[in-house]
Amino acid sequence: MRHILVCFICGFYFVSTLTAQVPKTTSPSDIYHSIQKLNFLGTALYIAAHPDDENTRLISYLSNSLHARTGYLSLTRGDGGQNLIGPELRELLGVLRTQELLAARRVDGGEQMFSRANDFGYSKTPKETLKIWDKELILSDVVSAIRKFKPDIIINRFDHRTPGTTHGHHTASAMLSVEAFDLANDPNAYSDQLGRTDLWQPRRLFFNTSWWFYGSQEKFKKADKSKLLNVDIGTYYPMLGMSNNEIAAIASSQHLCQGFGRLRTRGSEQEYLELLKGDLPQEKSDPFEGINTTWSRIEGGDEIGKILNKVEAEFNFKDPSVHLSDLVRAYALLQKVTDTHWKRIKSEELKSIIEAVAGLHLEAFTNQPFSNASETIEFNIEALNRSNKEIVLESVLINGQPKITEPKTLKNNVSIKNKISIEIPSTTKYTSPYWLMETGTLGTYTVKDPNLIGKSETPRAFKVTFDLMYDGIKIPITKNVVYKYAKPDKGEIYQPFEIVPEATSHLKDKVIIFADDSPKLIPITIKAHKNKVSGSIRLNVGDKWKIDSNIQQFNIEKKGDEQTFYFNLTPPGSEDESKISSILTINGKKITKDLVTIAYDHVPTQTILMPAETKVVRLNIRKSGQNIGYIMGAGDEVPTSLEQIGYTVHSIDPSEISLNSLQKYDAVVLGIRAYNVVNELSFKQKYILEYVKEGGTVIVQYNTAGRWADQFDNIAPYELKVSRDRVTDENSEVKIIAKDNDLVNYPNKITNKDFEGWVQERGLYFPDKWSKEFTPILEMKDEGEPATKGSLLIAPYGKGNYIYTGLSFFRELPAGVPGAYKLFSNMLSVGKNKLENKEKVKG
Ligand SMILES: [Zn+2]
């Protein structure tokens, strides 16, 4: 929760700063807004399934217009989606999306929390979702979130009564919320949590509905609205010069890896809340009606409220520091109240405001991004008071241990700077994302420490506390130690200070395919994270795999330097799948981790420790043709996968597409969603089809339905209609219905066994209509649904072949699924069969 508290007052910084890595400033408007929030003691919790599900218009309205403490519980971190801005997928995508959610909350003023549920990919029903998630486990997390956050009102993004109409994760999130609403106050439910949390009964549960959920605007107009609240979220904030909807658009535009950059809107806009549980407010525009949201809510609160309401009423925009004494007096009174929940929250808010009105700059930073256990590192401590108030820095503590004990008066605008050397204790834990430290299941993360469950990030290893004294009252202000530096082309940058192992090792490919039994040299790069690090490296391989000279010694002088070692790996004679992992031994300590960095401008740089391992697959694969042209769409790793089995893959720049330029390839492949995202294809499509006509093979991977440029009557040479049909069960039965077609015979014989071991799904956006020229090859279905034949279609055109496939090769190939490689190789080889036979006859 630390970042939330630290960021409490930074909800409004977006006006001047849109990147996450620059220091924050506070204007009197920001401070005033924070005081308004300080004087509102009400809490709202928004619940949905994924990063981007949240309605930022409503979150911003609750947080900034009503001034409520507002949380978003996203059950998952969005691991299962795709990434429009970089290579991160799966767990790493979840880390990036976690940070995008935090960036969105910094803008809209909300707080962010999670459950242990993993976004395992598209799910058609909540029944399937709850089975894979382990319903009891995730329900316990929702109950725990409610018990900790103590919301007065809960708002579901999705309808719990309409399974099958949206992603199963969505409906499941609403169903769990409805159940948890009653369980949170039940002492017999999840009683193991009660040491860490208290029972709590929220007052009201709403569903954030809209006309969309009713099917049409007309149907919504006619619907019974007796249980509907109607809030206008278009509030204009004159002190910010911004409308609530503008803030909301900036917040949701933080979801850049999902392509959510969007236009800002302004003016009156309605949001509807349907009451599901609890009492119906008389005033149909106030979800908090009848709930005491003033300081009198807590015992001993009246007197605090009297002081703070006066500060709000008489706020001095020219010199906010005049309120310091009152704020400190309120803080002292707050320390005496017995309600620990509000005491904790309001103390942190008050301290942020005290810091802001006094123009305090309190900071602890390092000159290096990371360090490791037992290393000595220097912390730079800086304290500056930019008001004319007499504030004394009594002491400075690092993780609770006093380090500076001689009191110093913080004179107006005179900086106090200190350097403190710290030996990092050998027991210090790595700062990597806590939910990735253990191996999870398909549906859930494994988190050993129950105190971490629900947190958005791993708590930082080092905190510095500045004990301030003003008017005889001690005010401890705690900051995370950060790494700061200047980048010549960007300016000052802040990023988290990390604790990492002494060295880590990296295997470049996540999957290595052996197309035959020849050995391959496997490069492993060791990176030192301290000076003078030495030890040994060895490779752990499966029984059937052989390795020459398995143990090698390494010795790296300088922190940050790398050394690459090669291991000669021989696969078994027959098909096999295994894992290889790299193990470093340094002073008897084994390190099995790889260090991955995620760096973008809109989120703080992330350092993640992942297992240093790679899947190895021995295939018996045959292929025809060698040179493949690839037109990249939204981004996928298919080209690298094809190179692994020996193809030469050239990336084709869309501007260079012509019949002539395509004809040098044995086949041309279009990457996923190419027609959705590459506008230029609308001018180049004719050359692609001409290439087929003249004897080429074109393979088009999935595009989403109806989203390409108007110029396309059709993306195929014949009628082909892409639908939303998908088969999400990766284990669903597949029938080969065109048994004699080359696609399942040449050069690799495809059998049912080739559809074993697929990951996440079979495929998506299958066509549901096609002209008679197309031959459907496969038939498949999800449980309880009609079968679809649109997953793999081939049509001859002129002298060549056109193939359209919604099968998820972009997932299966990088995951090293043998059957997917064989089928893809057959697609690339299509037509080469006859060619070879002709040559044989000639010869
Ligand atoms: Zn979603």
Side-chain angles (χ1 to χ4, degrees), residues 542-561:
D543 295 345
K544 298 178 193 160
W545 299 68
K546 294 210 164 48
I547 201 145
D548 314 339
S549 60
N550 195 355
I551 297 182
Q552 305 187 37
Q553 303 298 321
F554 69 90
N555 187 352
I556 307 178
E557 270 302 304
K558 283 222 154 24
K559 187 172 186 165
D561 199 4

PDB file of all heavy atoms in Angstrom, residues 542-561:
ATOM      1  N   GLY A 542      17.351 -32.349 -19.291  1.00  0.00           N
ATOM      2  CA  GLY A 542      16.592 -33.595 -19.120  1.00  0.00           C
ATOM      3  C   GLY A 542      17.433 -34.820 -19.460  1.00  0.00           C
ATOM      4  O   GLY A 542      18.443 -34.709 -20.152  1.00  0.00           O
ATOM      5  N   ASP A 543      16.991 -36.012 -18.981  1.00  0.00           N
ATOM      6  CA  ASP A 543      17.745 -37.280 -19.111  1.00  0.00           C
ATOM      7  C   ASP A 543      18.233 -37.578 -20.525  1.00  0.00           C
ATOM      8  O   ASP A 543      19.363 -37.985 -20.729  1.00  0.00           O
ATOM      9  CB  ASP A 543      16.847 -38.461 -18.707  1.00  0.00           C
ATOM     10  CG  ASP A 543      16.478 -38.371 -17.245  1.00  0.00           C
ATOM     11  OD1 ASP A 543      17.154 -37.581 -16.542  1.00  0.00           O
ATOM     12  OD2 ASP A 543      15.517 -39.045 -16.824  1.00  0.00           O
ATOM     13  N   LYS A 544      17.340 -37.365 -21.499  1.00  0.00           N
ATOM     14  CA  LYS A 544      17.674 -37.818 -22.852  1.00  0.00           C
ATOM     15  C   LYS A 544      18.590 -36.844 -23.591  1.00  0.00           C
ATOM     16  O   LYS A 544      19.055 -37.123 -24.679  1.00  0.00           O
ATOM     17  CB  LYS A 544      16.386 -37.997 -23.663  1.00  0.00           C
ATOM     18  CG  LYS A 544      15.454 -39.055 -23.095  1.00  0.00           C
ATOM     19  CD  LYS A 544      14.201 -39.110 -23.951  1.00  0.00           C
ATOM     20  CE  LYS A 544      13.096 -39.900 -23.273  1.00  0.00           C
ATOM     21  NZ  LYS A 544      11.783 -39.582 -23.844  1.00  0.00           N
ATOM     22  N   TRP A 545      18.804 -35.676 -23.022  1.00  0.00           N
ATOM     23  CA  TRP A 545      19.594 -34.649 -23.697  1.00  0.00           C
ATOM     24  C   TRP A 545      21.037 -34.699 -23.199  1.00  0.00           C
ATOM     25  O   TRP A 545      21.285 -34.929 -22.024  1.00  0.00           O
ATOM     26  CB  TRP A 545      18.985 -33.271 -23.442  1.00  0.00           C
ATOM     27  CG  TRP A 545      17.585 -33.154 -23.975  1.00  0.00           C
ATOM     28  CD1 TRP A 545      16.482 -33.804 -23.494  1.00  0.00           C
ATOM     29  CD2 TRP A 545      17.155 -32.402 -25.096  1.00  0.00           C
ATOM     30  NE1 TRP A 545      15.382 -33.492 -24.254  1.00  0.00           N
ATOM     31  CE2 TRP A 545      15.754 -32.633 -25.247  1.00  0.00           C
ATOM     32  CE3 TRP A 545      17.795 -31.558 -26.014  1.00  0.00           C
ATOM     33  CZ2 TRP A 545      15.006 -32.033 -26.262  1.00  0.00           C
ATOM     34  CZ3 TRP A 545      17.045 -30.967 -27.012  1.00  0.00           C
ATOM     35  CH2 TRP A 545      15.671 -31.206 -27.136  1.00  0.00           C
ATOM     36  N   LYS A 546      21.979 -34.456 -24.102  1.00  0.00           N
ATOM     37  CA  LYS A 546      23.397 -34.582 -23.725  1.00  0.00           C
ATOM     38  C   LYS A 546      24.121 -33.252 -23.881  1.00  0.00           C
ATOM     39  O   LYS A 546      23.866 -32.497 -24.806  1.00  0.00           O
ATOM     40  CB  LYS A 546      24.067 -35.628 -24.625  1.00  0.00           C
ATOM     41  CG  LYS A 546      23.521 -36.998 -24.382  1.00  0.00           C
ATOM     42  CD  LYS A 546      24.551 -38.090 -24.634  1.00  0.00           C
ATOM     43  CE  LYS A 546      24.077 -39.396 -24.004  1.00  0.00           C
ATOM     44  NZ  LYS A 546      22.670 -39.707 -24.337  1.00  0.00           N
ATOM     45  N   ILE A 547      25.066 -33.049 -22.944  1.00  0.00           N
ATOM     46  CA  ILE A 547      25.779 -31.787 -22.976  1.00  0.00           C
ATOM     47  C   ILE A 547      27.276 -32.031 -22.769  1.00  0.00           C
ATOM     48  O   ILE A 547      27.653 -32.875 -21.963  1.00  0.00           O
ATOM     49  CB  ILE A 547      25.172 -30.860 -21.904  1.00  0.00           C
ATOM     50  CG1 ILE A 547      25.488 -29.414 -22.214  1.00  0.00           C
ATOM     51  CG2 ILE A 547      25.618 -31.188 -20.528  1.00  0.00           C
ATOM     52  CD1 ILE A 547      24.342 -28.549 -21.808  1.00  0.00           C
ATOM     53  N   ASP A 548      28.137 -31.347 -23.537  1.00  0.00           N
ATOM     54  CA  ASP A 548      29.593 -31.498 -23.355  1.00  0.00           C
ATOM     55  C   ASP A 548      30.061 -30.479 -22.321  1.00  0.00           C
ATOM     56  O   ASP A 548      29.546 -29.385 -22.274  1.00  0.00           O
ATOM     57  CB  ASP A 548      30.365 -31.203 -24.662  1.00  0.00           C
ATOM     58  CG  ASP A 548      29.741 -31.876 -25.864  1.00  0.00           C
ATOM     59  OD1 ASP A 548      28.997 -32.867 -25.658  1.00  0.00           O
ATOM     60  OD2 ASP A 548      29.975 -31.400 -26.995  1.00  0.00           O
ATOM     61  N   SER A 549      31.035 -30.831 -21.551  1.00  0.00           N
ATOM     62  CA  SER A 549      31.658 -29.987 -20.508  1.00  0.00           C
ATOM     63  C   SER A 549      30.647 -29.084 -19.820  1.00  0.00           C
ATOM     64  O   SER A 549      30.543 -27.897 -20.090  1.00  0.00           O
ATOM     65  CB  SER A 549      32.799 -29.143 -21.095  1.00  0.00           C
ATOM     66  OG  SER A 549      32.324 -28.298 -22.103  1.00  0.00           O
ATOM     67  N   ASN A 550      29.906 -29.689 -18.926  1.00  0.00           N
ATOM     68  CA  ASN A 550      28.748 -29.001 -18.352  1.00  0.00           C
ATOM     69  C   ASN A 550      29.088 -27.886 -17.371  1.00  0.00           C
ATOM     70  O   ASN A 550      28.325 -26.941 -17.232  1.00  0.00           O
ATOM     71  CB  ASN A 550      27.805 -30.005 -17.701  1.00  0.00           C
ATOM     72  CG  ASN A 550      26.451 -29.372 -17.422  1.00  0.00           C
ATOM     73  OD1 ASN A 550      26.281 -28.171 -17.629  1.00  0.00           O
ATOM     74  ND2 ASN A 550      25.507 -30.140 -16.959  1.00  0.00           N
ATOM     75  N   ILE A 551      30.223 -27.981 -16.661  1.00  0.00           N
ATOM     76  CA  ILE A 551      30.488 -26.906 -15.688  1.00  0.00           C
ATOM     77  C   ILE A 551      31.592 -25.984 -16.205  1.00  0.00           C
ATOM     78  O   ILE A 551      32.636 -26.445 -16.635  1.00  0.00           O
ATOM     79  CB  ILE A 551      30.887 -27.495 -14.316  1.00  0.00           C
ATOM     80  CG1 ILE A 551      29.711 -28.300 -13.759  1.00  0.00           C
ATOM     81  CG2 ILE A 551      31.258 -26.376 -13.338  1.00  0.00           C
ATOM     82  CD1 ILE A 551      29.932 -28.904 -12.413  1.00  0.00           C
ATOM     83  N   GLN A 552      31.324 -24.691 -16.206  1.00  0.00           N
ATOM     84  CA  GLN A 552      32.331 -23.706 -16.626  1.00  0.00           C
ATOM     85  C   GLN A 552      32.472 -22.657 -15.528  1.00  0.00           C
ATOM     86  O   GLN A 552      31.517 -22.386 -14.801  1.00  0.00           O
ATOM     87  CB  GLN A 552      31.901 -23.047 -17.941  1.00  0.00           C
ATOM     88  CG  GLN A 552      31.627 -24.076 -19.051  1.00  0.00           C
ATOM     89  CD  GLN A 552      31.371 -23.432 -20.405  1.00  0.00           C
ATOM     90  OE1 GLN A 552      31.973 -22.440 -20.764  1.00  0.00           O
ATOM     91  NE2 GLN A 552      30.468 -24.026 -21.169  1.00  0.00           N
ATOM     92  N   GLN A 553      33.701 -22.108 -15.426  1.00  0.00           N
ATOM     93  CA  GLN A 553      33.961 -21.103 -14.375  1.00  0.00           C
ATOM     94  C   GLN A 553      33.819 -19.705 -14.967  1.00  0.00           C
ATOM     95  O   GLN A 553      34.131 -19.485 -16.130  1.00  0.00           O
ATOM     96  CB  GLN A 553      35.393 -21.253 -13.833  1.00  0.00           C
ATOM     97  CG  GLN A 553      35.713 -22.640 -13.281  1.00  0.00           C
ATOM     98  CD  GLN A 553      34.844 -23.027 -12.098  1.00  0.00           C
ATOM     99  OE1 GLN A 553      34.546 -22.192 -11.241  1.00  0.00           O
ATOM    100  NE2 GLN A 553      34.404 -24.277 -12.070  1.00  0.00           N
ATOM    101  N   PHE A 554      33.347 -18.776 -14.163  1.00  0.00           N
ATOM    102  CA  PHE A 554      33.299 -17.389 -14.651  1.00  0.00           C
ATOM    103  C   PHE A 554      33.872 -16.448 -13.607  1.00  0.00           C
ATOM    104  O   PHE A 554      33.919 -16.749 -12.411  1.00  0.00           O
ATOM    105  CB  PHE A 554      31.875 -16.983 -15.025  1.00  0.00           C
ATOM    106  CG  PHE A 554      30.927 -16.855 -13.862  1.00  0.00           C
ATOM    107  CD1 PHE A 554      30.791 -15.640 -13.198  1.00  0.00           C
ATOM    108  CD2 PHE A 554      30.192 -17.943 -13.430  1.00  0.00           C
ATOM    109  CE1 PHE A 554      29.925 -15.521 -12.115  1.00  0.00           C
ATOM    110  CE2 PHE A 554      29.327 -17.829 -12.352  1.00  0.00           C
ATOM    111  CZ  PHE A 554      29.196 -16.617 -11.693  1.00  0.00           C
ATOM    112  N   ASN A 555      34.331 -15.303 -14.097  1.00  0.00           N
ATOM    113  CA  ASN A 555      34.963 -14.315 -13.230  1.00  0.00           C
ATOM    114  C   ASN A 555      34.736 -12.949 -13.886  1.00  0.00           C
ATOM    115  O   ASN A 555      35.314 -12.655 -14.924  1.00  0.00           O
ATOM    116  CB  ASN A 555      36.452 -14.645 -13.123  1.00  0.00           C
ATOM    117  CG  ASN A 555      37.132 -13.749 -12.104  1.00  0.00           C
ATOM    118  OD1 ASN A 555      36.525 -12.798 -11.588  1.00  0.00           O
ATOM    119  ND2 ASN A 555      38.391 -14.035 -11.823  1.00  0.00           N
ATOM    120  N   ILE A 556      33.871 -12.137 -13.326  1.00  0.00           N
ATOM    121  CA  ILE A 556      33.555 -10.843 -13.945  1.00  0.00           C
ATOM    122  C   ILE A 556      34.005  -9.728 -13.008  1.00  0.00           C
ATOM    123  O   ILE A 556      33.661  -9.721 -11.833  1.00  0.00           O
ATOM    124  CB  ILE A 556      32.046 -10.733 -14.278  1.00  0.00           C
ATOM    125  CG1 ILE A 556      31.603 -11.940 -15.122  1.00  0.00           C
ATOM    126  CG2 ILE A 556      31.742  -9.435 -15.015  1.00  0.00           C
ATOM    127  CD1 ILE A 556      30.142 -11.972 -15.482  1.00  0.00           C
ATOM    128  N   GLU A 557      34.801  -8.814 -13.555  1.00  0.00           N
ATOM    129  CA  GLU A 557      35.407  -7.753 -12.737  1.00  0.00           C
ATOM    130  C   GLU A 557      34.399  -6.669 -12.350  1.00  0.00           C
ATOM    131  O   GLU A 557      34.361  -6.234 -11.207  1.00  0.00           O
ATOM    132  CB  GLU A 557      36.543  -7.090 -13.538  1.00  0.00           C
ATOM    133  CG  GLU A 557      37.909  -7.721 -13.357  1.00  0.00           C
ATOM    134  CD  GLU A 557      38.383  -7.731 -11.914  1.00  0.00           C
ATOM    135  OE1 GLU A 557      38.436  -6.623 -11.320  1.00  0.00           O
ATOM    136  OE2 GLU A 557      38.663  -8.817 -11.367  1.00  0.00           O
ATOM    137  N   LYS A 558      33.615  -6.225 -13.331  1.00  0.00           N
ATOM    138  CA  LYS A 558      32.846  -5.001 -13.109  1.00  0.00           C
ATOM    139  C   LYS A 558      31.348  -5.237 -13.076  1.00  0.00           C
ATOM    140  O   LYS A 558      30.791  -5.958 -13.902  1.00  0.00           O
ATOM    141  CB  LYS A 558      33.166  -3.990 -14.231  1.00  0.00           C
ATOM    142  CG  LYS A 558      34.490  -3.281 -14.068  1.00  0.00           C
ATOM    143  CD  LYS A 558      34.344  -1.807 -14.401  1.00  0.00           C
ATOM    144  CE  LYS A 558      35.319  -0.869 -13.755  1.00  0.00           C
ATOM    145  NZ  LYS A 558      36.582  -1.366 -13.315  1.00  0.00           N
ATOM    146  N   LYS A 559      30.708  -4.577 -12.140  1.00  0.00           N
ATOM    147  CA  LYS A 559      29.247  -4.565 -12.043  1.00  0.00           C
ATOM    148  C   LYS A 559      28.656  -4.102 -13.377  1.00  0.00           C
ATOM    149  O   LYS A 559      29.113  -3.121 -13.958  1.00  0.00           O
ATOM    150  CB  LYS A 559      28.878  -3.577 -10.941  1.00  0.00           C
ATOM    151  CG  LYS A 559      27.436  -3.522 -10.559  1.00  0.00           C
ATOM    152  CD  LYS A 559      27.291  -2.629  -9.328  1.00  0.00           C
ATOM    153  CE  LYS A 559      25.887  -2.636  -8.793  1.00  0.00           C
ATOM    154  NZ  LYS A 559      25.783  -2.088  -7.446  1.00  0.00           N
ATOM    155  N   GLY A 560      27.663  -4.805 -13.863  1.00  0.00           N
ATOM    156  CA  GLY A 560      27.014  -4.412 -15.121  1.00  0.00           C
ATOM    157  C   GLY A 560      27.609  -5.099 -16.337  1.00  0.00           C
ATOM    158  O   GLY A 560      27.013  -5.102 -17.409  1.00  0.00           O
ATOM    159  N   ASP A 561      28.830  -5.686 -16.166  1.00  0.00           N
ATOM    160  CA  ASP A 561      29.465  -6.339 -17.310  1.00  0.00           C
ATOM    161  C   ASP A 561      28.853  -7.733 -17.531  1.00  0.00           C
ATOM    162  O   ASP A 561      28.272  -8.318 -16.622  1.00  0.00           O
ATOM    163  CB  ASP A 561      30.980  -6.447 -17.065  1.00  0.00           C
ATOM    164  CG  ASP A 561      31.740  -6.666 -18.365  1.00  0.00           C
ATOM    165  OD1 ASP A 561      31.097  -6.660 -19.442  1.00  0.00           O
ATOM    166  OD2 ASP A 561      32.971  -6.852 -18.309  1.00  0.00           O
TER     167      ASP A 561
END
